[in-house]
Amino acid sequence: MSESEEDVVLPRFFKVFLSETASESMAIPMSFSEHLEDPLPQTAKLQGTGGGVWTVNFKKIRDCAYFTSGWSKFAEDHELKDGEFLTFVYDGSHTFEVSVFGRSGCKEIRAVVETVNLSDEEEEKEEEEEEEEDSSVVADSNEEEEEEEEGDDDDPSFDAGEDDEVSQSIYPVDSDDTVSNAEVVAGFSNLEVESNPWFTTTLKNRIYELLIPANVVKEHGLTFCDRIKYIDGEGIMNGVKGKWSDDRICFKGWDRICRRNRLKEYDTVHCELLHIRKKVHSIKITITRG
């Protein structure tokens, strides 16, 4: 029988909510400290069952870790009441999935994020329109580059003959969305590349799937859950495992990460593989703007 996602048991703990002691901050059980990073990250993300993500400060006080600033907002949005039961499932990095159980003992969905469901036809039409719009943006940007770089004979595009290694600029980025060099350095300082396997990638022709390099899989002896979580600065998205004819592993849903982060041709994506006993359950994403 093949391993399934359920075979990986992520670290977890529970708390009973008491407003007198947990309205402004929440203490994490001391016995759970062995699962936390050292040093403790400055922030953590709490993913609610309603689809939202809350950022909270992470502090250690007298050897006990606490959720501090931001926790009161999470508690308020979820309308937590005395005696309600909370479970926290830790992804091994910075994110906790939080479930709320009411006084009846049943799991409740709260703080629901509104979403718009598209039919398959509407989604395909939307993707076609985006591709047409992006193509026109690329053409305009190429013309501007030619005007600005007179005498430069270098072709800014990659060799289209190299399958699956081609980068294209298909997502426009507003000036407000650019990242400074200081932000880039700060982003990479938070990466735990020493403890987790990682690789880098760029914007590919096959934007709908993320290919995991075979040498990384082999070198670290990795296996993968059928579903993984993409973790970026905006929150969490799910990806479904696929396999190429040559047995290389890939994950679907990558295009949503590309669009949400507005990737461009020269951007570099750092992918950190979070795992439990060599079984990858999440991919932590950090982007360096080119």
Side-chain angles (χ1 to χ4, degrees):
M1 182 180 293
S2 61
E3 289 183 318
S4 63
E5 183 177 6
E6 287 71 21
D7 291 332
V8 176
V9 179
L10 299 179
R12 61 196 66 204
F13 65 90
F14 74 87
K15 296 284 290 188
V16 177
F17 180 78
L18 298 174
S19 58
E20 184 177 350
T21 59
S23 59
E24 297 298 327
S25 63
M26 170 68 79
I28 296 173
M30 292 189 67
S31 60
F32 193 80
S33 298
E34 64 183 70
H35 300 292
L36 300 176
E37 296 167 285
D38 187 16
L40 202 65
Q42 293 184 348
T43 61
K45 292 187 181 297
L46 306 180
Q47 183 184 21
T49 52
V53 177
W54 287 257
T55 299
V56 297
N57 282 3
F58 220 178
K59 289 186 178 179
K60 182 169 285 190
I61 304 173
R62 294 189 296 275
D63 295 328
C64 185
Y66 286 80
F67 298 135
T68 55
S69 299
W71 169 257
S72 60
K73 176 64 174 171
F74 177 89
E76 178 184 350
D77 290 347
H78 286 77
E79 301 178 348
L80 297 181
K81 303 177 183 64
D82 285 338
E84 292 187 326
F85 191 87
L86 307 175
T87 62
F88 297 78
V89 180
Y90 184 46
D91 74 345
S93 180
H94 296 178
T95 302
F96 294 81
E97 290 186 8
V98 187
S99 298
V100 179
F101 294 80
R103 293 172 181 172
S104 64
C106 296
K107 184 176 180 178
E108 299 182 1
I109 307 299
R110 301 183 184 176
V112 177
V113 176
E114 294 185 3
T115 58
V116 178
N117 294 322
L118 298 176
S119 66
D120 292 341
E121 292 182 357
E122 290 175 326
E123 190 170 358
E124 290 177 1
K125 182 178 180 181
E126 185 184 70
E127 290 177 355
E128 290 176 358
E129 290 175 350
E130 287 179 351
E131 289 176 0
E132 291 176 359
E133 179 180 348
D134 293 334
S135 297
S136 64
V137 171
V138 174
D140 292 341
S141 63
N142 287 341
E143 291 178 2
E144 292 175 359
E145 289 176 0
E146 290 176 0
E147 292 176 358
E148 293 175 358
E149 301 178 8
E150 293 181 3
D152 188 354
D153 295 329
D154 293 336
D155 186 353
S157 65
F158 289 93
D159 182 4
E162 298 180 1
D163 189 25
D164 303 320
E165 295 297 332
V166 181
S167 297
Q168 296 180 346
S169 178
I170 63 175
Y171 300 108
V173 176
D174 299 331
S175 58
D176 293 339
D177 294 320
T178 57
V179 179
S180 67
N181 289 336
E183 289 173 298
V184 170
V185 172
F188 269 95
S189 67
N190 291 327
L191 295 175
E192 296 79 25
V193 296
E194 298 83 5
S195 58
N196 291 311
W198 59 274
F199 64 93
T200 60
T201 186
T202 54
L203 193 62
K204 311 293 186 181
N205 273 345
R206 304 174 66 113
I207 66 168
Y208 296 100
E209 56 191 24
L210 173 66
L211 177 65
I212 311 298
N215 64 310
V216 174
V217 177
K218 183 176 181 180
E219 179 181 349
H220 297 277
L222 300 175
T223 59
F224 295 83
C225 296
D226 292 334
R227 291 179 178 273
I228 55 97
K229 292 179 174 61
Y230 297 124
I231 304 173
D232 62 8
E234 299 296 323
I236 296 175
M237 286 185 171
N238 293 319
V240 179
K241 185 170 73 172
K243 184 177 290 187
W244 285 14
S245 57
D246 58 2
D247 290 336
R248 284 187 291 175
I249 300 297
C250 66
F251 284 94
K252 309 292 185 180
W254 181 245
D255 57 306
R256 292 177 297 162
I257 291 293
C258 294
R259 290 194 173 93
R260 181 159 79 174
N261 290 278
R262 298 189 178 186
L263 288 185
K264 295 181 68 178
E265 177 181 0
Y266 297 109
D267 293 343
T268 299
V269 184
H270 187 287
C271 299
E272 183 180 0
L273 304 176
L274 308 182
H275 62 91
I276 301 292
R277 297 188 298 276
K278 300 295 184 179
K279 188 161 189 176
V280 176
H281 55 79
S282 303
I283 300 177
K284 180 180 174 183
I285 298 159
T286 305
I287 298 171
T288 305
R289 301 297 181 185

